[in-house]
Amino acid sequence: MEKSQERAVQKFFDEFSKKVSDKVISLEMVSLKADLKTLNSLSLKNNNPSCEIWGLLVLCEKNFYFYVHPYESAMSMMLRQAAHGDEPEEQLANVSELKSLSVQKTSRTWFSILLGEKEKIFLFFEGEDGLQKRIELETQHKADNIIEKISKYIKK
């Protein structure tokens, strides 16, 4: 990593640590998928019809978070402005504080391996309505590595 990239990462770590009063340990780029009710229970907004949000899984000393930086491409900005839509907002959810949080990964078949499908991680938690909610995470790294990282945050 170049020096300028290292400084940018360190700046993000420092700013995020101040924001949540928790020291950042590592980051993981993830795609989070959930139905609209589950997204609402996490106070996350999504304008994408696929119910997929790209963001960072931020692992800190005490908690882990899902963080979405307020970004949009130039084309998205032009379309949004033409439709008088709202600007993208920063989003932050403390995932480790979800009630009855548990984690598991998908089992892979020879067919999914052949198609090059990635392993998926599922987080389950109890929503405020008492019903079980499910979040699907997809990452560029092996699911076992991510599960190992986030397992330490799950209260037993």
Side-chain angles (χ1 to χ4, degrees), residues 19-111:
K19 183 181 304 210
V20 297
S21 301
D22 197 357
K23 185 179 178 189
V24 176
I25 297 169
S26 68
L27 302 173
E28 184 71 35
M29 181 70 150
V30 297
S31 163
L32 181 145
K33 294 179 186 173
D35 62 37
L36 287 175
K37 287 183 181 179
T38 301
L39 291 176
N40 288 337
S41 69
L42 294 167
S43 299
L44 296 174
K45 297 177 187 169
N46 185 21
N47 296 329
N48 186 339
S50 71
C51 292
E52 176 181 30
I53 305 174
W54 281 91
L56 294 172
L57 204 58
V58 184
L59 302 143
C60 296
E61 287 183 343
K62 299 177 212 162
N63 295 300
F64 78 100
Y65 304 85
F66 180 71
Y67 173 74
V68 179
H69 188 272
Y71 168 81
E72 67 183 340
S73 67
M75 181 61 81
S76 296
M77 181 180 68
M78 289 187 297
L79 293 171
R80 177 186 51 77
Q81 288 175 339
H84 304 290
D86 296 329
E87 289 185 32
E89 297 175 21
E90 178 179 72
Q91 299 184 70
L92 180 65
N94 185 340
V95 180
S96 54
E97 287 189 347
L98 296 172
K99 189 175 179 183
S100 303
L101 184 63
S102 65
V103 63
Q104 76 180 71
K105 72 174 186 173
T106 56
S107 54
R108 296 181 75 195
T109 64
W110 66 270
F111 191 73

Side-chain angles (χ1 to χ4, degrees), residues 28 30-31 33 57 102-106 118-124 134-139 141-148 150:
E28 184 71 35
V30 297
S31 163
K33 294 179 186 173
L57 204 58
S102 65
V103 63
Q104 76 180 71
K105 72 174 186 173
T106 56
K118 294 188 179 231
E119 295 175 304
K120 293 181 179 131
I121 300 166
F122 293 105
L123 297 174
F124 297 94
R134 182 183 89 168
I135 301 168
E136 178 185 316
L137 297 177
E138 198 171 298
T139 177
H141 295 107
K142 291 199 168 283
D144 289 333
N145 295 348
I146 307 307
I147 289 171
E148 183 180 331
I150 63 177

